[in-house]
Amino acid sequence: MTEALFAPYTEPDDYARALAAGDGPLPVWTGGRTDLAAGISLAGQVYAGRRTPAPCDTGVLFGEVPAALETLLRPLARTWAAEPGRLPGKGSVLLAGTYAQLGGDEVQQVVADAYAAGRPLFLLTGRDVHSLSWVVAKQYARVVPGAAVGVVSELDAAEAVPGADVWCGAEDVRRLDIKEVALGRVWRRVLFHGNGKDDQLNLGQFTLCGASPVAALPGAAGPKCAYGLGCTKPMDKLIPARGIRAAELVLANCFSGALAGHAMYDPKYLILLDALDGPAQTVVATLTACDGQRPENLAWLTSAAAAGSAAGAVNDVLRDINPYPSFAQFGLQSSGLEEAAAEAGTQPSAAEPVPAPEPHTLGARLAGLLDSGLLGPDYPLRPRLRALADTLLHDVVRTVALAPPDARRSLAAIAKETTSLDLALAHRFAKHHDDPVLRFPTYFGERSVADAPVALDSSCACGRPLAAYRRRGRVPVITDTVQVVCARCGDVANSLADAAELTVKAPAETAAGGALHVVVEARARRAGTVNLGIVLPLYLDARVGPVLRRVEASRPGERVHAEFTVAIAPGATPQAYYFCPYAVQDLGISVSRVHFTLRPPGPDERERPAP
């Protein structure tokens, strides 16, 4: 018969002697709390042996605890500060004390400072000293091998992702017996996600319930059931938080971990305290209102590979929408997370990120093309541009953009369609010198305000200095542009802001019937395809070969180039001309104006056929 891992003691002296002996089961001082026996019994199914938990750098004990309990608590931090104001400026932090002593107003600054500094923060608490004794003892236990990892979400309707043995999304929650899912197995780690408050977490017709057998405080507020009015859910659909057999339990709903003074209801009903009375050694819960969604669920699921706490990993993802500490971790790093981290070390590394357009820049360019009036309603590419804009707007929602598997699929699809539209635009420029998109410098410029010019290091082809300035749209749908000017040649380059930078090498003159060898170089903004070509003015009798070049940049900032031949017709009129090399990448358009002189053919050139 396997020896029990935990041993309850009702008398403090017996508890102290058991701790002093240092052998046998881990002692728990239950006092008169007979309800803790159920949690201790369930823990025998969750844990298979002892561990030495990794200690925090600095701990703070709020209030006093019995000396015997303190001997079990002290090894959980390397050093102990007398008060929160004496915490060092770095390292992980442990706050310990009973629920009443660990008041929200008293520890709020510590929580906020740790969040701002990115310091791991852990709390050890319980509804009284007996619950705290039980929570501390559980820190020394190791989860049984092979326990499951699960995600159960009433709100996540997207598809399951690898990493969870059990995944119940919104549709599953509607059709499955969630009580059986929650209570029917041992969990290494499990996350429950739904709407709720400090006494319950709703999962369809089921609910995780925080009501405890302990007595309520006289006159304290409680939920509906506290007044003999039953529950908001059918009684057979209640899932007691203390009954979930998990080493790490996440309560992802608003106010599930509200601290003393911040909770709405009497501690009897707090789901956090009920969970801590059960077998869970670590409970991750929310201190306040929380907008956690799929990205936070996935961040928790993959937090085995991250340093610090599971709560910290979730808070980091949540910063974009809740820029304050939402989740807190009650318990040290769980043994379930330690096992997951060991397994993660044997898994293949994550896939490389998808090279894709930057969403904000792409969205601004789409708005400029679609909604500024630059393009008429019958422009051939308008339907595709609108479809891409709609897709982008849908997929930048954080539930997609911050969820790695969903984001990869979205970015790959957006990148593919953007690359295809780049090619379609480049083909139009090559065939239609009057394509309305090429009017962007004048159209956007007339609706913009210019910044002060900045001198450039490079010179114009004529040898004179160049200056560049940004023109900022007066309204959001007017995309910012950049213009480069020369005192002699005028505007020699125009581009949408942050588009690929063009450099062109070409002869300053040629003869009618001759040719210009042109090298067009572009500095790519990201890895991917850059389309290069040349637009000729209508009055120049010439042709370009090849019509278009597509070149690949392997990294952002790489310079790519293509060579073109501008073949001048023998009968072309001698005079000054220009041609316009262009680049298109991620709907970012850059156009240069290159001047050259066409002279009459010399004696030897008159007989030479055009290339």
Side-chain angles (χ1 to χ4, degrees), residues 7 18 33 51 79 170 210 222 226 248 260 268 274 338 349 375 427 458-459 483 517 527 539 552 581 610:
R33 290 278 307 283
R51 68 163 182 168
T79 60
E248 181 180 325
K268 171 184 174 68
D274 196 52
E338 290 173 351
S349 59
L375 305 181
H427 271 302
S458 56
S459 299
Q483 187 166 80
H517 178 72
Y539 65 90
E552 294 294 322

Side-chain angles (χ1 to χ4, degrees), residues 506-517:
E509 66 172 32
T510 189
L516 295 171
H517 178 72

Side-chain angles (χ1 to χ4, degrees), residues 73 383 439 608:
L73 178 61
R439 295 190 296 111
R608 187 183 303 164

Side-chain angles (χ1 to χ4, degrees), residues 543-554:
R543 66 179 187 273
V544 178
V547 172
L548 179 68
R549 290 283 195 187
R550 307 189 74 205
V551 290
E552 294 294 322
S554 60

Side-chain angles (χ1 to χ4, degrees), residues 7 66 139 144 192 246 257 287 307 318 357 539 611:
Q139 304 309 307
V144 295
F192 294 96
L287 297 169
L318 196 54
Y539 65 90

Side-chain angles (χ1 to χ4, degrees), residues 475-491:
V475 292
V477 295
I478 299 300
T479 310
D480 287 2
T481 57
V482 175
Q483 187 166 80
V484 179
V485 293
C486 163
R488 175 186 177 275
C489 304
D491 58 315

Side-chain angles (χ1 to χ4, degrees), residues 12-293:
D13 291 344
D14 294 337
Y15 172 68
R17 280 192 290 270
L19 273 174
D23 55 7
L26 288 161
V28 181
W29 182 31
T30 57
R33 290 278 307 283
T34 56
D35 61 292
L36 289 177
I40 294 173
S41 175
L42 288 176
Q45 303 171 48
V46 178
Y47 306 104
R50 295 197 187 196
R51 68 163 182 168
T52 301
C56 294
D57 292 312
T58 309
V60 180
L61 178 59
F62 288 73
E64 297 182 355
V65 298
L69 174 55
E70 195 168 342
T71 63
L72 203 60
L73 178 61
R74 289 287 174 181
L76 301 182
R78 295 183 179 90
T79 60
W80 288 82
E83 57 185 37
R86 297 187 178 182
L87 280 167
K90 59 182 180 179
S92 55
V93 177
L94 172 64
L95 305 181
T98 62
Y99 181 72
Q101 293 167 328
L102 213 61
D105 292 339
E106 287 72 26
V107 305
Q108 186 64 39
Q109 192 59 51
V110 179
V111 173
D113 290 346
Y115 172 82
R119 300 171 66 181
L121 175 71
F122 306 88
L123 299 93
L124 292 176
T125 193
R127 67 178 72 247
D128 56 21
V129 70
H130 304 299
S131 289
L132 180 59
S133 166
W134 173 220
V135 170
V136 171
K138 286 186 286 185
Q139 304 309 307
Y140 292 88
R142 181 174 300 283
V143 69
V144 295
V149 174
V151 173
V152 181
S153 175
E154 178 189 52
L155 307 176
D156 188 347
E159 64 184 56
V161 300
D165 303 302
V166 176
W167 182 283
C168 291
E171 180 60 34
D172 301 310
V173 167
R174 284 191 286 271
R175 65 182 179 83
L176 296 178
D177 183 345
I178 297 302
K179 187 172 185 177
E180 171 59 28
V181 172
L183 302 179
R185 74 200 72 209
V186 173
W187 302 98
R188 181 200 315 172
R189 311 175 74 210
V190 63
L191 177 147
F192 294 96
H193 176 217
N195 293 312
K197 45 191 175 181
D198 54 9
D199 67 312
Q200 64 178 330
L201 190 162
N202 293 308
L203 297 166
Q205 59 184 323
F206 297 86
T207 187
L208 262 66
C209 174
S212 168
V214 300
L217 298 173
K224 181 180 176 182
C225 63
Y227 306 102
L229 301 175
C231 182
T232 56
K233 297 290 179 74
M235 294 302 292
D236 65 336
K237 300 296 191 293
L238 300 187
I239 305 169
R242 65 183 180 278
I244 297 171
R245 293 172 293 165
E248 181 180 325
L249 171 61
V250 181
L251 305 171
N253 65 283
C254 293
F255 303 104
S256 60
L259 296 175
H262 294 178
M264 290 183 289
Y265 295 145
D266 182 279
K268 171 184 174 68
Y269 302 100
L270 300 187
I271 191 170
L272 166 68
L273 297 182
D274 196 52
L276 291 173
D277 284 344
Q281 68 185 178
T282 299
V283 178
V284 177
T286 58
L287 297 169
T288 182
C290 173
D291 294 315
Q293 302 165 323

